[in-house]
Amino acid sequence: MRAVQSWMQEFAPIAGEPQEIADQLTSVGLVVESIETVGANWDGIIVAQVLDLRPHPEADKIQLVDVDTGDGVPLQICCGAFNMSVGDRVPLATIGTVMPGGMEIAQRKLRGEMSNGMICSASELELGTDHSGIMILADDLQIGQPLSEALGASSELVFDIDVEPNRPEALSVAGIARDLAAKQGVSFALPEISVPTYGAAANDSCAVVIEDADLCARFALRILRNVSNGESPQWMQDRLTAAGMRPISTIVDISNYVMLETGQPNHTFDLDTVPEGRLIVRRAQPGETLTTLDGAERSLVAPDGSGIGRGLGDGVITNAEGRPVSLAGVMGGFDTEISDGTTNVLLEAAVWDRMSIAHTSRRLNLRSEASTRFERGVDPLGLERALDRFCELAVELTGAEIAPGHVIAEPAPIEPVVVPTRVHRVNHLLGAQIEPERMVELLGPIGFECGLFYMNDAGQQTFDVTVPTWRPDATIEADIAEEVGRHYGYENIPPRLPVSLQHGELSPAQAARRRIRSTFAAAGCSEAIPMPFLAPGDLAAAGLGSDGLTLTNPLVGEESVLRTSLLPGLLKVVAYNQSRGNLNVRLFEMGAVYLPNADGELPDEPWSIAAILDGADAADAVRLLREVGSSLGLDFRVKNTERAGLHPTRSAEVIFRGKTIGEVGEIDPTVIEAYDASGRVGWLSLLIDPITPGVTAVPKAKKLSRYPSSEIDLAFVVADSIAASAVEDSLMKAGRPLVRSVELFDVFRSEQVGGDARSLAFSVKLQADDRTLSDDDVSSVRNKMINEVTKRHNAALR
Amino acid sequence: MPDLPPVPSIITDLDQNVQSVLSRIADVSDTAALDALESETLGKSGLIVSARKAIGEVSPTERKLVGMAVQESRTSIEQALADRRQFLAQGERALRLQSERMDLTEVIGTPSVGHIHPLTQAWEELEDTFIGMGFRVAEGPHVETDWHNFDALNIPKGHPARDAFDSLYVNNGEPGSTVLRTHTSPVQIRTMLEQEPPIYIVAPGRVFRRDTADATHLPVFHQLEGLVVDRNIGLADLAGTIESFTKAFFGEGFTSRLRPNYFPFTEPSAEFDIQRPDGSWLELGGCGVVHPNVLKAGGIDPEEWSGFAFGFGIDRFLSIKNGVDDIRDAFTNDIRFLQQF
């Protein structure tokens, strides 16, 4: 909303520097986005009179003009225009003037002749587009007077305000002026409106019936006769332009002017196109259409019975025959629009159901200054004033004859909201100690009428606040507290810190997530944050099944599926990096995936951490798993298994405390190709929740043995079908209780070993807590381990 | 002047031998040879041991004299050995150091440590600041019911304010019943329903809007929400908390202000701005005293308890703190971007 200062001053003697006013507006919640000076910025431009016109001795297209600037002394100007005569009054930009376009006027020589200023065209003064010649001023202007004074035109100061949805009244000049006047402590008044009336009463010429009471709370009509349309006066055009609207014609300009001033939109029908001047207000019926004044035929939506959103249906105004003539609050009809030939006007203002207007205007993409105001709520008791102001201006500017009286329809009388307000509650919500009398002083000027103080049933000091009908948002005590706070000034409420008796901390699970994340970083992986949306088919292309949950209204199709795995997102990131020459990236992501649940239930959102290793194989991924496991103190087991999306012969599930909690290996080469990546890509993914207890567990120290350990190496030839981990497990088991660790240190394949087998060499560390191991101890354990492995796994000792 | 007693021959022999050893020590050029010479001279069959054995053979009057001479000889040899050993060690150390010289700028290999995303860094720093102020961290699902995301927050069905959030709906259950949360505020509701007051929580998290990506907006972004519900909480407590956070997070030279604004879920509502030491302002987020309808939706009696809430975007800190001028750059996950943090 663009608030023009001079316009606001018609309601209150607002004063102050522009920045000061802007700060005051901002402090009451009317955030000033910018301060602008619009219109005549004519400092340095004066009225001058032409004394003499002479040809320039050296140039055909320039003449020499002597002007009088008020002192009678001729001042020579070089001028490129020839449309003036001796005696004419013209606008002269004196030396040093900065023109509205930014050019600075300096004394200069043109082909040897001195020019002491510039005589201006209308367009140079931004008074229209005429640049064909010098602007000739009226003969009665005083020579030497500043042009802005002489023309009575001054620049308009405009505050561009971001109006919040709870402040519909601030979508009007009067509303902003009221709030600002209250802040400045100056009086605010709506000027008296006087409308001379003539002829037959309005209710002889028009009538209205509201059929759907929930659509329209109040509807008002006036009749204007013998209207002559034309161009509105300059002052009105200037105001509208400053406020950001384009002047069109007197009637349209008055309509917009009144809307901007009062906040109440209005609509004009050509009375002669409305049979008997009778209107009916109701919801649209199935199959109805209306050609709106932009010429488009609109299919109207009837209520669907749900009473919610678009289901409310469109509101319409029909004529007596039941044919829609206007789309309520959104756009008028083509057939009843006023035209150049219109002489009699049916002027309407109404209060529409906010939701209905919101949904109709959005559905048809017809949001306008009017629909915005209806959506936020107009003042139901302000209709007459808005119509009267229209009429007052119409009499003045078009010579209209106004029929006596208003025609009003209201399904129920408008009752203002009264909020019993407890003094202590207001102070409680603000955290302030404002005296009760001060509250009344703050509320009164903004239209919140306060009753006398009394004790409520609980013995609390209370006063009844009557909410002005232009503030439909204010209905409860907290709203009153906000009004008090706004005008008391948030900055005047001393801040205080609430005392939290709890100590702040992360939950164990949150702390564990941080630790897991830094462990992956320490292991050489950088954190990526891909978007969680996938394109349809992305999951299938990754071998991960069909699309899971989809969005109803995605912005683009490529972002319409919620991921069920971190793999597609991370693989896309690898492909992106490869395409930019960033090879062998090691990345991880920690985040939620979305797994559909039974119908209607919210999906499960388990968190995982996944690492993707470009240019690395499954062994690298297993090493990462071991590094992470060692750092976090987690004993992960790996079991060769096919996993969806992974290389079928290079994948395994990760087991923790007997449960499968993740997977490790390489991504399937076909999947890599489908994602436009190349090479081997290692993969590790772990579920967060099941490993969290292990991460948060506090390790307990074990007593270290004081006795020396013995190391023995054992190598076996084992069939490829038997996992090395199985052999390792057997060694651990057979070596109890002396075995401390078993570590695979060599894998060897050769013809000698055999085509479908390999040699696995383990280093085994033995130790006792109570003695140094004897040779017999060692050989006994060694034999047990060899027996176990050779028997159980049909292996041969090398 | 009395005659000096004659010097026993054993002493003169010893002196000669010591002189010879000392000159050999001076000629030794490595510690191994020095070790050999040491055991030769000071060992069991060395000249000192032999001389000591010979003490018994001299006359008692000479014994003391010979004994002193043997001790002196031993000391002088030991001293010479030690001096020579130190001299040789220095030379050998110099040789070794010379031979081990490395150019530490010719080392091969790049660091293999990963980097935490700057968003996470900002997120954790914010969490830690609020933890220091007595807050705990609450969480909730990304896919939400429209009740938690809207109705419970005083935005009823059909309310035009819902449109302002540009929600992304999920095909799940009844049409329009499931939404990707448009703000972290549903966590307020979940916390209130799960926990009795007093409540002091922050809820950082991922949120979703149907916004076209540009330099300052992404459809997926991150917010931090704060909620306090306790006895006698008002706007002043909110202002104090915001001010305390401002100083703790940005620094002593920063201050904050509240100015009136509108949100459906708070009343009174405010916007909060941060003033930098140079006097310029940064609009940070929205806040206010929790609307009684929101407390009721959370199962809390608004007559007994009151509260405040605040919220702001986390992604913006990448621009404010790290100078990321196009937020999209932060989420391409180009390794060259990530490695800067």
Side-chain angles (χ1 to χ4, degrees):
Chain A
M1 173 75 195
R2 294 169 59 85
V4 179
Q5 175 163 288
S6 66
W7 202 345
M8 290 197 287
Q9 283 165 337
E10 292 182 7
F11 299 91
I14 287 155
E17 289 299 311
Q19 188 57 51
E20 191 185 346
I21 292 173
D23 290 346
Q24 288 166 340
L25 287 166
T26 299
S27 81
V28 293
L30 299 172
V31 177
V32 175
E33 310 239 286
S34 65
I35 307 171
E36 294 168 33
T37 307
V38 177
N41 186 8
W42 294 336
D43 285 351
I45 302 176
I46 60 166
V47 178
Q49 187 177 33
V50 179
L51 297 176
D52 187 29
L53 295 164
R54 285 169 277 124
H56 190 295
E58 302 288 332
D60 290 348
K61 293 186 174 170
I62 303 174
Q63 63 173 333
L64 300 177
V65 187
D66 283 345
V67 294
D68 172 12
T69 59
D71 54 8
V73 180
L75 187 69
Q76 178 175 292
I77 312 286
C78 299
C79 182
F82 293 84
N83 65 323
M84 68 208 109
S85 317
V86 172
D88 280 349
R89 283 162 171 76
V90 291
L92 175 74
T94 52
I95 304 297
T97 299
V98 178
M99 298 300 293
M103 179 178 65
E104 188 173 342
I105 304 301
Q107 189 179 47
R108 59 185 183 136
K109 263 187 187 166
L110 285 171
R111 301 258 175 126
E113 290 291 337
M114 192 58 78
S115 184
N116 297 295
M118 184 176 84
I119 305 176
C120 309
S121 70
S123 79
E124 282 160 342
L125 296 172
E126 297 195 342
L127 276 175
T129 54
D130 185 1
H131 56 262
S132 60
I134 291 309
M135 183 179 185
I136 308 296
L137 301 169
D139 286 346
D140 55 355
L141 298 186
Q142 190 192 323
I143 296 163
Q145 199 182 14
L147 183 69
S148 53
E149 272 177 42
L151 293 184
S154 58
S155 57
E156 294 276 23
L157 195 59
V158 180
F159 300 92
D160 194 359
I161 295 172
D162 183 17
V163 176
E164 295 295 328
N166 66 327
R167 298 290 306 279
E169 103 288 4
L171 291 174
S172 73
V173 174
I176 294 170
R178 183 190 292 111
D179 224 24
L180 181 57
K183 183 70 189 174
Q184 294 198 340
V186 298
S187 63
F188 168 89
L190 295 171
E192 282 290 311
I193 296 173
S194 90
V195 181
T197 56
Y198 188 86
N203 57 14
D204 289 344
S205 305
C206 66
V208 59
V209 176
I210 298 175
E211 288 187 351
D212 287 314
D214 62 342
L215 172 65
C216 181
R218 206 148 184 270
F219 193 100
L221 292 169
R222 282 205 89 153
I223 299 283
L224 294 76
R225 300 196 183 94
N226 294 324
V227 174
S228 62
N229 209 349
E231 197 175 322
S232 65
Q234 192 62 46
W235 66 265
M236 182 174 271
Q237 296 196 16
D238 288 348
R239 283 252 167 106
L240 290 173
T241 306
M245 295 193 96
R246 198 162 49 89
I248 292 169
S249 68
T250 309
I251 294 294
V252 175
D253 290 356
I254 292 173
S255 173
N256 285 331
Y257 191 89
V258 169
M259 176 181 69
L260 291 174
E261 182 172 289
T262 65
Q264 172 65 52
N266 55 73
H267 183 66
T268 47
F269 296 93
D270 183 334
L271 179 60
D272 300 325
T273 64
V274 180
E276 302 164 57
R278 291 182 63 87
L279 298 174
I280 298 166
V281 174
R282 61 166 169 81
R283 303 262 181 204
Q285 291 167 358
E288 278 185 324
T289 60
L290 169 67
T291 302
T292 45
L293 52 78
D294 56 359
E297 183 173 320
R298 313 276 178 180
S299 296
L300 306 182
V301 170
D304 65 6
S306 69
I308 293 171
R310 288 180 186 176
L312 288 165
D314 298 326
V316 293
I317 302 173
T318 75
N319 60 18
E321 296 151 10
R323 205 160 49 79
V325 293
S326 177
L327 193 50
V330 177
M331 194 178 263
F334 185 80
D335 295 341
T336 53
E337 192 190 357
I338 56 162
S339 62
D340 291 346
T342 299
T343 52
N344 300 317
V345 169
L346 180 57
L347 174 64
E348 166 253 306
V351 183
W352 299 108
D353 175 53
R354 294 158 63 180
M355 298 277 190
S356 301
I357 301 299
H359 289 285
T360 297
S361 64
R362 276 172 179 75
R363 176 172 63 82
L364 298 173
N365 201 18
L366 284 176
R367 303 192 67 182
S368 63
E369 293 279 343
S371 72
T372 301
R373 285 169 173 78
F374 286 125
E375 266 178 40
R376 298 193 177 183
V378 295
D379 178 8
L381 299 184
L383 303 187
E384 290 92 331
R385 184 179 169 84
L387 295 188
D388 293 352
R389 180 69 169 132
F390 189 112
C391 293
E392 182 182 47
L393 289 166
V395 170
E396 185 187 327
L397 304 179
T398 74
E401 294 167 1
I402 312 299
H406 306 83
V407 169
I408 305 278
E410 54 181 14
I414 303 296
E415 300 284 355
V417 172
V418 176
V419 181
T421 303
R422 293 164 295 175
V423 169
H424 85 277
R425 186 70 180 173
V426 170
N427 276 327
H428 170 159
L429 291 173
L430 294 175
Q433 272 95 40
I434 302 172
E435 292 299 321
E437 293 74 18
R438 181 92 184 104
M439 293 182 188
V440 173
E441 285 168 18
L442 293 167
L443 289 168
I446 52 171
F448 288 71
E449 283 176 32
C450 302
L452 298 175
F453 293 107
Y454 63 92
M455 293 296 163
N456 70 3
D457 293 345
Q460 297 159 329
Q461 190 181 21
T462 307
F463 59 113
D464 288 345
V465 178
T466 305
V467 176
T469 48
W470 60 79
R471 287 296 301 274
D473 61 293
T475 54
I476 58 171
E477 229 173 11
D479 297 317
I480 306 301
E482 179 171 79
E483 294 308 307
V484 171
R486 267 196 326 118
H487 278 276
Y488 184 73
Y490 284 5
E491 68 280 8
N492 295 322
I493 299 172
R496 66 185 185 204
L497 257 189
V499 179
S500 159
L501 292 180
Q502 76 178 8
H503 65 280
E505 64 175 6
L506 291 176
S507 71
Q510 289 161 349
R513 288 209 295 264
R514 283 203 190 179
R515 205 175 140 207
I516 294 167
R517 196 187 265 123
S518 31
T519 300
F520 273 78
C525 301
S526 287
E527 186 183 19
I529 304 187
M531 293 295 112
F533 300 136
L534 301 176
D538 275 355
L539 286 163
L544 295 169
S546 57
D547 293 342
L549 286 167
T550 55
L551 299 184
T552 313
N553 57 337
L555 203 58
V556 286
E558 294 77 60
E559 297 173 0
S560 63
V561 175
L562 290 177
R563 67 187 181 188
T564 58
S565 160
L566 300 182
L567 192 148
L570 281 171
L571 188 52
K572 284 182 187 182
V573 172
V574 164
Y576 178 91
N577 274 287
Q578 285 184 350
S579 73
R580 274 151 188 80
N582 308 332
L583 302 182
N584 302 329
V585 296
R586 293 163 66 91
L587 298 165
F588 78 89
E589 180 189 7
M590 182 185 281
V593 299
Y594 310 93
L595 306 179
N597 232 321
D599 191 42
E601 295 273 304
L602 291 180
D604 287 333
E605 297 186 15
W607 277 56
S608 296
I609 188 157
I612 196 158
L613 311 175
D614 179 25
D617 65 8
D620 291 319
V622 170
R623 280 183 208 106
L624 174 64
L625 173 71
R626 286 184 186 162
E627 201 170 333
V628 166
S630 166
S631 172
L632 295 172
L634 305 178
D635 184 18
F636 291 127
R637 315 304 313 276
V638 168
K639 186 177 169 200
N640 296 324
T641 320
E642 286 188 28
R643 301 284 300 185
L646 300 192
H647 191 307
T649 59
R650 290 185 167 208
S651 56
E653 56 193 22
V654 178
I655 296 162
F656 178 67
R657 295 187 178 173
K659 288 205 180 91
T660 300
I661 54 89
E663 61 189 17
V664 64
E666 269 173 58
I667 295 178
D668 189 316
T670 311
V671 173
I672 293 171
E673 201 176 321
Y675 276 74
D676 296 325
S678 61
R680 291 191 185 276
V681 179
W683 175 254
L684 168 64
S685 170
L686 304 170
L687 282 168
I688 298 294
D689 279 352
I691 64 172
T692 298
V695 177
T696 54
V698 180
K700 293 279 183 271
K702 284 190 201 119
K703 194 81 186 158
L704 301 180
S705 172
R706 294 161 49 221
Y707 299 93
S709 61
S710 303
E711 272 185 45
I712 54 172
D713 290 348
L714 294 171
F716 300 94
V717 174
V718 187
D720 280 335
S721 58
I722 291 163
S725 61
V727 180
E728 201 177 300
D729 290 347
S730 297
L731 291 169
M732 283 299 287
K733 202 172 147 197
R736 276 178 201 159
L738 297 181
V739 65
R740 286 290 185 266
S741 67
V742 174
E743 196 182 314
L744 179 66
F745 71 91
D746 188 39
V747 180
F748 175 67
R749 286 186 166 81
S750 72
E751 269 181 41
Q752 191 197 349
V753 170
D756 50 3
R758 79 287 200 203
S759 160
L760 300 172
F762 296 91
S763 167
V764 179
K765 185 181 271 186
L766 305 171
Q767 195 177 32
D769 288 334
D770 55 353
R771 64 184 193 282
T772 303
L773 295 180
S774 65
D775 290 350
D776 284 352
D777 286 331
V778 173
S779 70
S780 154
V781 174
R782 186 173 181 276
N783 289 338
K784 272 197 260 174
M785 290 196 289
I786 293 167
N787 281 343
E788 177 69 15
V789 171
T790 49
K791 272 193 204 142
R792 181 172 296 271
H793 302 299
N794 197 22
L797 183 69
R798 280 192 82 216
Chain B
M1 188 176 210
D3 283 347
L4 288 170
V7 176
S9 65
I10 186 168
I11 291 178
T12 48
D13 290 352
L14 185 61
D15 280 349
Q16 266 181 18
N17 287 340
V18 166
Q19 285 312 318
S20 149
V21 166
L22 291 179
S23 75
R24 283 174 66 199
I25 287 173
D27 290 344
V28 166
S29 61
D30 64 77
T31 39
L34 197 65
D35 289 346
L37 189 55
E38 178 171 358
S39 57
E40 181 194 324
T41 51
L42 302 181
K44 284 178 187 169
S45 51
L47 65 98
I48 297 297
V49 173
S50 309
R52 187 166 285 146
K53 278 179 187 161
I55 293 174
E57 295 163 14
V58 300
S59 68
T61 52
E62 289 172 347
R63 225 170 255 172
K64 190 179 175 192
L65 205 58
V66 173
M68 282 168 61
V70 169
Q71 190 53 42
E72 275 169 22
S73 303
R74 183 185 176 89
T75 304
S76 69
I77 290 170
E78 280 176 349
Q79 184 62 50
L81 282 168
D83 289 351
R84 187 66 187 166
R85 191 178 300 283
Q86 194 187 352
F87 173 80
L88 291 176
Q90 271 173 2
E92 280 166 20
R93 176 180 148 78
L95 273 176
R96 176 181 169 182
L97 297 189
Q98 190 54 44
S99 70
E100 288 179 356
R101 177 173 297 280
M102 280 179 76
D103 175 1
L104 297 191
T105 66
E106 70 176 19
V107 176
I108 294 167
T110 45
S112 62
V113 168
H115 296 254
I116 300 282
H117 197 284
L119 175 79
T120 303
Q121 294 186 27
W123 176 317
E124 292 184 352
E125 199 182 335
L126 289 165
E127 280 182 346
D128 291 343
T129 304
F130 283 107
I131 286 171
M133 294 166 65
F135 285 75
R136 298 206 177 155
V137 178
E139 293 162 352
H142 298 169
V143 183
E144 263 293 7
T145 66
D146 69 331
W147 185 84
H148 284 94
N149 196 72
F150 291 124
D151 301 64
L153 292 160
N154 202 31
I155 311 170
K157 284 190 176 55
H159 194 288
R162 285 199 178 195
D163 290 359
F165 286 100
D166 292 322
S167 316
L168 286 163
Y169 284 91
V170 178
N171 293 321
N172 185 52
E174 289 291 309
S177 68
T178 307
V179 66
L180 281 169
R181 66 178 182 189
T182 56
H183 43 192
T184 40
S185 308
V187 182
Q188 288 184 24
I189 303 298
R190 291 184 175 273
T191 305
M192 288 191 278
L193 289 172
E194 282 163 19
Q195 187 191 330
E196 295 291 319
I199 293 169
Y200 288 79
I201 56 129
V202 287
R206 176 169 276 188
V207 298
F208 307 81
R209 302 242 176 122
R210 200 171 179 280
D211 258 349
T212 307
D214 62 27
T216 54
H217 296 87
L218 286 175
V220 179
F221 57 106
H222 305 83
Q223 283 184 338
L224 183 135
E225 182 104 0
L227 174 70
V228 166
V229 180
D230 206 337
R231 292 186 199 279
N232 222 8
I233 291 289
L235 196 72
D237 302 283
L238 169 60
T241 302
I242 295 290
E243 179 67 12
S244 178
F245 160 73
T246 300
K247 294 231 179 314
F249 188 81
F250 291 97
E252 274 301 317
F254 289 76
T255 55
S256 63
R257 72 170 176 200
L258 303 190
R259 52 186 168 79
N261 205 285
Y262 169 76
F263 301 103
F265 23 86
T266 48
E267 189 74 40
S269 300
E271 192 83 12
F272 65 95
D273 305 331
I274 306 296
Q275 190 171 32
R276 302 184 183 91
D278 68 4
S280 62
W281 290 95
L282 170 73
E283 278 183 40
L284 202 62
C287 57
V289 177
V290 182
H291 196 286
N293 290 352
V294 176
L295 290 173
K296 282 181 212 156
I300 289 174
D301 177 3
E303 282 293 314
E304 187 180 355
W305 304 95
S306 58
F308 64 75
F310 57 86
F312 51 83
I314 302 177
D315 307 73
R316 282 183 67 207
F317 287 92
L318 301 186
S319 146
I320 297 168
K321 294 193 70 154
N322 305 113
V324 176
D325 57 7
D326 187 331
I327 193 65
R328 289 169 294 195
D329 293 344
F331 298 96
T332 61
N333 301 301
D334 189 309
I335 193 72
R336 295 166 298 177
F337 176 86
L338 298 173
Q339 280 169 343
Q340 301 174 93
F341 302 97

